[in-house]
Amino acid sequence: MNWLELQTAAADAIVWIAYACFIIVALRNVISLAQLLVAAWVFATRVKPGEGARDLWNRYADLAMPITVIAPAYNEELSIVQSVKALLALEYPEHEVIVVNDGSKDDTLGQLVRSFGMEETSRTQIAELQQTRIRATYRSRRYPNLLVVDKENGRKADAANAGIGFARTPLVCVIDADSIIEPDGLLRAAEPFMYDDGRLIAVGGAIRIANGCTIKGGSLQKIGISKSLVPRFQTVEYLRAFLMNRVANAHTNTLMLISGAFGLFRRSTLVEMGGYRHDTVGEDLELVVRMHRHMRDREREYRMAFVPDIVCWTEAPAALDGLDNQRKRWQQGALETLQCHRGMIFNPRYGRIGMLAMPQIVLEDIIGPPAELLGYLVLPAAALLGLLDPMMALAFFFVSVVFGCVLSLGTLALEEQQLRRTPTATDLVRIGIAAVIENFGYRQINLWYRLQGIRRFMKKDSTWAAVPRVGFGKG
């Protein structure tokens, strides 16, 4: 091949790459637009304004199935007491709280023992799902529905499994110890189980950013937004994820993720599956994908639900270094799940999960991030070199950045119309501005973090990168 032929081949390759990047990004946005439209239709026709806790209590108190709330905790000495008080105060007819101290190196266990009058007791596990040793169990003298399990460190999945093994109730709620459930959250989550025909196995709820909110005594006192841009950008991301993606996917029976910060599950299904996997950093995604696989392999009818007005508040990374760790871990966990369950992809045996939901994860987590980031480089370069019509580069900018702004603003409008969780018009404008400017820098930085997550997956790096916390009300 001579030099001219080599130049021609290189130019053709650049053009093909440019077109491929454009098509992939456009396809992702078309799917997102379809999800936004489905979510809007669901809100308009199916989801009625949420009833108050008292109305729910009066209607369902006699039907409410007992629930065990499982809170894995690691080095939470600064907030564990207030968090447990909030869990004990949840408005629900019958619930037990199991705090699993996952080998904390600080005084988490001591704080629990002193603050709640804990004394060592013997509690037999119904199912031994964890891989590490249980050191002791403690029962509160003042709160008979509070149990503390002290165990060797094994990470969150192992701690959750230990709690599931000690639970005695038909439903279990797994949450992060540093998250805050609104007082009526359990009632709203359990409502779908109250009129279920036995097919419902899991319910998810919306996760919102607590940065900027006023938190006292382990409960939300006032909704606010962060003064920092990084948490504001994440507020927009979470709105898209929970009010657009989750609502649409639940409606089409393709819900693939129930957040690890809050999820309600039928305990018997979790035990039958062996609980959470220990060898992935994305245990929440893997669990739900495996639930689909487990039920379809056994040809059982089942469903999973999403209730958008269940709200769990969580602290988001306040700076880019914490966001870096979080997003790399999320990306790595998605790839580990896809590798483990690759046999489901485009497999008609798994119905719409295999033919639609799993390929969508492939598009979002394998093909999409590199294609979009490459597109920002290749299309302008190809246009400058005369290999591509400049209008093509402009069209790529439109389908990636401008279309991204439209989707974010559409989701914000949906939230304001249906749930109205943004406290003031000024805050709504601030979030709206964040929805626009996140597409100019923040979005591209996130793509880079996701590429780093792919690199971690390729290197089989299983180290746990912690996300720095500044505490509720400080970010």
Side-chain angles (χ1 to χ4, degrees):
M1 181 180 289
N2 58 38
W3 177 246
L4 181 59
E5 291 174 332
L6 188 62
Q7 283 183 313
T8 302
D12 289 343
I14 291 174
V15 171
W16 278 105
I17 291 172
Y19 274 104
C21 292
F22 181 89
I23 291 170
I24 290 169
V25 172
L27 180 59
R28 291 173 68 198
N29 281 339
V30 167
I31 293 173
S32 294
L33 177 60
Q35 290 177 328
L36 178 61
L37 294 175
V38 170
W41 182 83
V42 170
F43 274 115
T45 61
R46 300 289 182 90
V47 179
K48 298 178 174 58
E51 297 176 283
R54 180 172 296 179
D55 293 328
L56 288 172
W57 187 283
N58 291 335
R59 180 177 296 185
Y60 296 121
D62 59 332
L63 298 175
M65 302 167 68
I67 293 176
T68 297
V69 180
I70 299 169
Y74 177 73
N75 290 351
E76 303 281 356
E77 66 175 356
L78 297 179
S79 60
I80 191 64
V81 172
Q82 297 301 327
S83 296
V84 172
K85 286 181 178 179
L87 294 178
L88 292 169
L90 289 172
E91 297 169 348
Y92 197 78
E94 183 180 348
H95 77 286
E96 181 180 41
V97 175
I98 298 181
V99 181
V100 183
N101 179 45
D102 190 39
S104 297
K105 293 180 173 61
D106 64 1
D107 194 37
T108 297
L109 180 61
Q111 289 284 352
L112 290 168
V113 170
R114 291 189 295 273
S115 300
F116 297 99
M118 311 298 299
E119 56 185 11
E120 194 165 341
T121 186
S122 59
R123 173 82 170 252
T124 304
Q125 277 188 298
I126 298 176
E128 189 172 328
L129 305 177
Q130 79 284 349
Q131 295 186 342
T132 53
R133 182 176 63 88
I134 302 296
R135 294 168 176 163
T137 57
Y138 300 85
R139 175 70 70 184
S140 171
R141 292 190 298 270
R142 297 197 296 272
Y143 302 92
N145 62 329
L146 174 61
L147 180 76
V148 172
V149 177
D150 183 35
K151 63 181 285 292
E152 296 175 346
N153 180 258
R155 295 186 178 177
K156 180 183 175 181
D158 196 63
N161 282 345
I164 294 167
F166 278 105
R168 298 286 200 273
T169 57
L171 301 180
V172 294
C173 175
V174 181
I175 71 162
D176 287 340
D178 58 353
S179 294
I180 294 173
I181 309 174
E182 292 189 345
D184 61 355
L186 278 187
L187 272 171
R188 297 191 184 281
E191 184 180 1
F193 282 100
M194 298 173 190
Y195 50 81
D196 174 51
D197 58 3
R199 294 183 301 155
L200 185 63
I201 60 174
V203 171
I207 310 299
R208 300 294 290 267
I209 301 300
N211 303 52
C213 297
T214 302
I215 309 291
K216 291 182 180 179
S219 62
L220 179 73
Q221 301 294 316
K222 181 181 179 182
I223 297 174
I225 64 170
S226 175
K227 297 178 181 178
S228 303
L229 277 177
V230 173
R232 284 192 200 179
F233 292 149
Q234 291 171 84
T235 297
V236 177
E237 287 183 295
Y238 277 50
L239 287 175
R240 283 198 304 265
F242 290 98
L243 296 189
M244 184 175 76
N245 298 356
R246 302 287 202 281
V247 170
N249 289 341
H251 179 70
T252 56
N253 294 322
T254 56
L255 184 64
M256 301 302 287
L257 177 61
I258 291 175
S259 174
F262 178 88
L264 185 62
F265 304 94
R266 195 176 295 275
R267 181 185 173 278
S268 59
T269 303
L270 293 182
V271 172
E272 187 177 280
M273 292 169 50
Y276 289 86
R277 284 185 63 140
H278 302 79
D279 57 352
T280 176
V281 297
E283 69 281 339
D284 48 359
L285 173 64
E286 195 284 328
L287 177 73
V288 176
V289 173
R290 185 156 42 93
M291 276 185 159
H292 285 293
R293 185 171 191 169
H294 178 84
M295 301 301 285
R296 288 179 179 268
D297 280 345
R298 287 154 183 77
E299 299 182 349
R300 298 180 188 170
E301 292 189 7
Y302 73 99
R303 67 186 183 94
M304 300 183 192
F306 179 80
V307 182
D309 49 0
I310 304 168
V311 176
C312 177
W313 297 85
T314 189
E315 181 187 356
L320 290 179
D321 56 347
L323 188 73
D324 180 8
N325 293 341
Q326 182 191 67
R327 299 310 164 88
K328 286 191 295 189
R329 188 172 70 243
W330 287 1
Q331 180 70 27
Q332 182 182 357
L335 294 176
E336 289 172 348
T337 298
L338 287 172
Q339 181 185 51
C340 180
H341 300 287
R342 58 189 179 275
M344 297 175 66
I345 302 171
F346 287 119
N347 188 338
R349 174 181 181 179
Y350 297 100
R352 67 186 68 192
I353 301 301
M355 302 303 292
L356 295 176
M358 292 296 285
Q360 184 181 338
I361 297 177
V362 172
L363 179 65
E364 289 290 336
D365 293 301
I366 296 182
I367 303 174
E372 183 174 346
L373 198 57
L374 191 61
Y376 289 124
L377 303 175
V378 172
L379 272 90
L384 290 173
L385 293 172
L387 302 175
L388 201 66
D389 187 339
M391 292 302 295
M392 185 71 177
L394 185 62
F396 179 81
F397 175 81
F398 177 83
V399 300
S400 59
V401 175
V402 177
F403 201 81
C405 295
V406 172
L407 288 173
S408 297
L409 292 173
T411 307
L412 183 59
L414 189 64
E415 192 274 345
E416 179 61 19
Q417 176 66 30
Q418 297 294 331
L419 301 180
R420 298 184 179 180
R421 293 281 180 158
T422 306
T424 67
T426 301
D427 287 338
L428 188 64
V429 170
R430 289 172 179 168
I431 297 175
I433 293 172
V436 174
I437 65 175
E438 67 149 346
N439 291 279
F440 301 91
Y442 176 81
R443 175 172 177 159
Q444 291 73 28
I445 290 172
N446 256 313
L447 291 172
W448 175 249
Y449 293 158
R450 296 183 73 171
L451 287 183
Q452 295 301 306
I454 295 174
R455 181 171 174 267
R456 280 176 56 91
F457 168 76
M458 299 295 291
K459 293 176 62 179
K460 300 186 183 300
D461 186 352
S462 60
T463 57
W464 185 271
V467 177
R469 303 290 186 181
V470 298
F472 286 128
K474 299 178 182 179

